[in-house]
Amino acid sequence: MRAAAALLLAAPVLLAAGEPSPLTMNDIQVVGSHNSFKAAIPQAVMARLRQTEPKLADGLYYHHLSLAEQLDAGVRQFELDIFADPEGGRYADPAGEQWAREAGEQTGFDRVAMLAPGYKVLHIPDVDYMSTCATLAACLGEIDGWSRAHPDHLPIMITLNAADMPSGREGITVPLPLDDAELLDALDAEISAALPGERLITPDEVRGDATTLADGVRTRSWPTLEEARGRVYVLLDVRDAVSDAYRAGHPSLSGRAMFGWYPDGQPEAVIQIVQDPLVDGDRIRRWVAGNTIVRTRTDANTMEARTGDHAKAEAAMASGAQAVSTDYYPGAPDPLGTGFTVTLLGGAMARCSPVRVPAGCPLEP
C-alpha cells in the first residue's frame, strides 16, 4: 500500500491540455563519486599505515581521476572535503610528505597552492593529504570550466563535507572549527566567485516566494530539468553546530550560496544524505516521492569492491535517490585489481528516478 502511494505521488502532474508537466531536476538519478578529489596516498605513507592501522589502510586504498575526467565518464555528483585556511599554510607541510621525501618518493604535492589563503581540499590531514585539486577554488574552477564547455549537461551536485573537529590522532593537524560566521561567509564567497551569476542554483531560486525553503519545494518543486541544465548546486554536509551557524541570520538559507543538511521537517530540509540504502531504502523512497533530493552510497571503505558485492548499489538504485555515490565509476583507478564497477542499469550513468518517473524518460543531450 505504501509503495503504491509513493508511485502515485511520484507520477508526473498533467497540464490542462493533458500533457505531462516538464521534468524537474529532482526527477533524475545520477552516478556520483565519494571523496571525489582523492589522489593516491604516497607509497611510503601507505606502508606506514599498513604497519600501524591496517584496517584504515585498507579503507583508504582507492583514488580518483581528475574531476574533469570523471565528468567525461558521466559522473554528475561530487564530494569535496574542505578545511578552512584563511591565513594559508596550515596544511602546507604534512607529516606524510616528509615520510615520502625521506623514502625518496616524488609525490607531486602542490605546496605552493597550500600556502595560499583559502579553503583547502583533502581527506585526512598529514596522512591522506594528496588531492587532484588542492584548493576549493581550483576544484570548483575545474568543474566550472568543464560545465561551460558542455552547457547542456545534467545539473551537477557538489557536497562539501567538513571534518572540522580534532581527530584525536597524534600528529594530525587540528582543523579550524567552522561554526564561525566569518569563515562561513568566506566559504560562500569562494563558491559564488567560482560559480558566478546563474551558474549556481541557490536556495533563494528554489524557495521563490514561498514562506520557507521546504514549502517552496513542496508547492513549487525544484527548477525544471531544462532550467537546471548546465548548472551546479552545492550542499553543505557538516555537524549540527555548523549547520545552525550557516542559517543564523539567513532563515531558509536566504542569501546563502549552499543548501544544507537539516533534520526532516525543518524549514531548510530539502536535501538529505543517507549512508546505507540497505537499511534506509524505504525512508529514501518516501523522501524522494515527496520532492526531497537524496544522496546515498553504493559502497564504502573498499569493502564491496573486495568482495564483488553489488547489494548496496542495487538498493541505492531502487531507492530512487537522485545521487548514488561510488568510488568505482567506469574508468576509475582500480588499485585492488578486482574490476568492481558501479553504474545504473544497463551501464547508464543517468536516468529518471524509478520512484518519481517509473516509466523512464529520455535525458539526452
Side-chain angles (χ1 to χ4, degrees), residues 152-164:
D152 292 326
H153 68 75
L154 296 174
I156 298 168
M157 177 184 184
I158 303 173
T159 300
L160 299 186
N161 176 258
D164 67 328

Side-chain angles (χ1 to χ4, degrees), residues 98-110:
Q98 179 64 35
W99 302 339
R101 286 198 299 267
E102 290 172 354
E105 189 174 352
Q106 300 295 316
T107 67
F109 176 66
D110 191 349

Side-chain angles (χ1 to χ4, degrees), residues 182-200:
E182 288 188 11
L183 290 178
L184 291 172
D185 288 347
L187 178 56
D188 264 7
E190 285 201 27
I191 294 167
S192 296
L195 299 163
E198 295 186 355
R199 306 286 299 133
L200 192 64

